[in-house]
Amino acid sequence: MYKLLIIIITTFLSINSIKSQDFTPISNETTFKKAYTEKTALTHSLKSNFIQEKSISLLEKKLVSEGLFQFKNPDKLRIEYFKPYSYLFLMNKDQITIKNDQKQTNISTKSNKIFKMVSEITMECVNGNVLSSKEFKISIFENNSQYMLKLIPKDKTLKSLLTEIKIYIEKIDYTVGTLEMYEVSGDFTKMIFKNRQTNIPIADEIFVVN
Amino acid sequence: MKYLLLISIIAYFTFNNCLAQTNYSSQCNVINRNDSSGLYKFYLSVYNNNISGLLLFKKTSDSTIRAVLTSEMGPKIIDLELNNTSYKVNFAIKQLRKKIILKSFYTDFASIAGILKFNKESGRYFSEQSDSSKLNKTVLYNKKGQELEIYYFCNNNKTNADSVFLQHFNFKMRIELRKIDF
């Protein structure tokens, strides 16, 4: 019985130790920054399916939605949700268009601070400029297969919405595999990017709503 | 004497009718009775400004309902705890932290969750009209007249409404909800 208890305690401690060792502070930050900046500078376009999981403390189930993410350097972004609802977010230079079924809203990032920040963060994650962002305090971690950027907002408006953002970058190709946004309440949203394709032809027309 | 009796009968029925309209108990609302929750795609149009998101209702006790509005891309916009006479703000983005806006959301969300009640003295009351088994219309009146009109489209009265439309009359605001199964 005594031996069994020791085994259980040892196993429990080992599991916790493995968990805490999962991501450790990066050993060579300069090398990573150089490689990431170089790699993202070569990314002219990005197309990826995504699954979004929204965890709300109020619900046992996660709210899961699916869509397609498309980016064209330097300032074109299309995020389209297909399931279980349709929603289209388009950014073309400083103009944002949102389409919900038949309803369309046009917003200028010059006049809307929140949308300006959201679009800047998304763009910077893809084009690599996130590492030099002045809006966040950034810490970098790594494990065997991924780098993890932990972004703590400095800006008051963003701070009132999010406590931190975690960006998981695949070591194999330096693309963003997962993005997590944590809210003040503890609720969080996770975006998992799948079937990522870089530098494929994407027409300019898809960033414009007729 | 005959007239007095007639007036008494009319007064009796009018009074009883008003009492019946004081408390609101729509057969079909945004709360699914099976799991005490409801999830909707939310569209709001106010003076040509549009807001959209996902609106979640969850019954947390016999008299309390949480209404959480999040953006489609994740972060929360508003989180209210509603009961039949008041509300508590758990979270609201800065742009919505105004008493008039929060009060309006409270009236709207508590009405369609079927928990809003008024004192007789307030002069506000609900009147329900069913045009068909699938369409229910509820009007909220105040001392000045119509304040809010709500339409529920319900295919099955045992679950929550498929869609809900709210039209305000005090100011130019319209809300549209469409049920999401998740």
Side-chain angles (χ1 to χ4, degrees):
Chain A
M1 184 63 198
Y2 179 73
K3 276 183 183 171
L4 183 67
L5 194 66
I6 294 286
I7 290 167
I8 291 169
I9 291 170
T10 316
T11 311
F12 176 74
L13 289 176
S14 306
I15 288 168
N16 272 312
S17 175
I18 288 165
K19 269 187 181 175
S20 63
Q21 281 173 8
D22 199 16
F23 274 95
T24 54
I26 192 163
S27 53
N28 196 333
E29 196 172 311
T30 317
T31 310
F32 163 72
K33 281 184 173 174
K34 191 172 174 285
Y36 183 57
T37 311
E38 280 173 7
K39 189 79 184 171
T40 48
L42 297 172
T43 306
H44 308 299
S45 68
L46 175 69
K47 188 176 180 179
S48 173
N49 293 95
F50 68 84
I51 294 171
Q52 181 178 294
E53 297 174 354
K54 170 92 188 154
S55 298
I56 302 179
S57 59
L58 198 58
L59 283 180
E60 286 169 17
K61 276 198 284 185
K62 287 174 186 162
L63 303 181
V64 181
S65 43
E66 290 174 31
L68 182 66
F69 180 100
Q70 291 180 88
F71 165 79
K72 192 169 183 181
N73 217 4
D75 49 18
K76 290 183 175 61
L77 179 68
R78 181 183 172 107
I79 304 176
E80 193 170 8
Y81 291 75
F82 304 125
K83 215 174 142 185
Y85 50 84
S86 75
Y87 177 80
L88 176 64
F89 176 95
L90 281 182
M91 199 175 105
N92 200 337
K93 293 177 184 168
D94 56 8
Q95 203 58 45
I96 287 174
T97 307
I98 291 169
K99 201 173 174 190
N100 263 307
D101 298 325
Q102 296 308 311
K103 297 171 188 69
Q104 190 175 316
T105 309
N106 297 310
I107 305 158
S108 168
T109 56
K110 286 177 184 167
S111 61
N112 193 308
K113 203 179 170 186
I114 291 181
F115 274 108
K116 184 173 183 282
M117 279 192 298
V118 169
S119 50
E120 271 176 7
I121 296 163
T122 319
M123 293 288 205
E124 285 173 354
C125 286
V126 186
N127 64 24
N129 292 338
V130 69
L131 293 175
S132 53
S133 173
K134 287 175 185 168
E135 305 280 354
F136 301 97
K137 180 180 173 269
I138 302 170
S139 319
I140 310 169
F141 301 84
E142 67 178 332
N143 67 10
N144 289 338
S145 59
Q146 290 177 314
Y147 295 106
M148 190 252 281
L149 309 184
K150 193 195 263 190
L151 280 63
I152 313 267
K154 291 180 189 169
D155 179 89
K156 240 185 194 178
T157 313
L158 194 55
K159 243 181 184 175
S160 69
L161 294 173
L162 300 169
T163 53
E164 65 178 29
I165 299 170
K166 285 181 182 170
I167 303 165
Y168 296 84
I169 298 161
E170 303 300 330
K171 280 189 171 176
I172 197 164
D173 59 2
Y174 287 87
T175 56
V176 176
T178 309
L179 180 77
E180 292 172 351
M181 293 180 278
Y182 291 83
E183 294 171 33
V184 182
S185 63
D187 293 347
F188 68 98
T189 306
K190 187 176 186 174
M191 281 178 96
I192 304 155
F193 296 94
K194 291 184 167 185
N195 311 320
R196 297 182 298 275
Q197 295 171 276
T198 50
N199 296 333
I200 56 159
I202 299 177
D204 284 346
E205 288 73 38
I206 68 152
F207 301 97
V208 181
V209 174
N210 299 316
Chain B
M1 186 61 195
K2 220 194 268 180
Y3 288 111
L4 187 65
L5 188 69
L6 192 63
I7 290 165
S8 303
I9 292 167
I10 292 167
Y12 173 80
F13 279 109
T14 309
F15 180 65
N16 272 314
N17 194 27
C18 281
L19 271 185
Q21 290 172 336
T22 303
N23 290 335
Y24 168 45
S25 59
S26 179
Q27 286 295 303
C28 165
N29 59 42
V30 292
I31 307 288
N32 186 330
R33 286 172 206 176
N34 297 329
D35 63 2
S36 305
S37 68
L39 180 67
Y40 288 86
K41 189 81 173 61
F42 171 91
Y43 307 97
L44 179 145
S45 167
V46 57
Y47 295 108
N48 296 324
N49 293 304
N50 299 313
I51 299 175
S52 72
L54 307 178
L55 181 58
L56 170 72
F57 293 93
K58 176 83 182 172
K59 201 171 179 180
T60 48
S61 77
D62 285 346
S63 57
T64 321
I65 283 168
R66 277 268 295 275
V68 178
L69 176 65
T70 75
S71 63
E72 289 88 347
M73 291 166 82
K76 207 180 286 180
I77 297 170
I78 198 164
D79 180 351
L80 300 177
E81 217 166 289
L82 321 164
N83 65 38
N84 54 13
T85 55
S86 63
Y87 65 97
K88 186 184 149 200
V89 182
N90 290 329
F91 176 80
I93 59 166
K94 197 180 163 192
Q95 291 85 339
L96 300 180
R97 267 181 246 150
K98 291 179 180 76
K99 205 176 173 186
I100 188 166
I101 296 174
L102 295 169
K103 220 173 160 183
S104 172
F105 276 136
Y106 166 64
T107 304
D108 294 343
F109 297 166
S111 295
I112 57 179
I115 58 162
L116 191 60
K117 286 178 183 170
F118 297 113
N119 294 326
K120 273 179 271 176
E121 296 77 30
S122 72
R124 293 169 93 192
Y125 63 89
F126 286 108
S127 169
E128 290 183 38
Q129 301 154 23
S130 286
D131 295 345
S132 69
S133 59
K134 288 182 181 176
L135 176 66
N136 296 307
K137 179 184 170 187
T138 299
V139 182
L140 172 60
Y141 289 94
N142 60 25
K143 285 173 183 170
K144 290 177 186 168
Q146 277 196 346
E147 181 181 327
L148 177 66
E149 214 169 64
I150 309 169
Y151 290 91
Y152 300 88
F153 292 88
C154 308
N155 266 321
N156 181 350
N157 271 341
K158 285 176 187 166
T159 63
N160 47 336
D162 292 322
S163 52
V164 183
F165 297 90
L166 295 95
Q167 177 69 57
H168 280 262
F169 290 93
N170 300 350
F171 51 98
K172 212 176 166 186
M173 184 162 115
R174 183 184 157 85
I175 291 176
E176 202 179 313
L177 302 177
R178 293 186 188 278
K179 185 162 79 175
I180 299 173
D181 291 312
F182 71 101

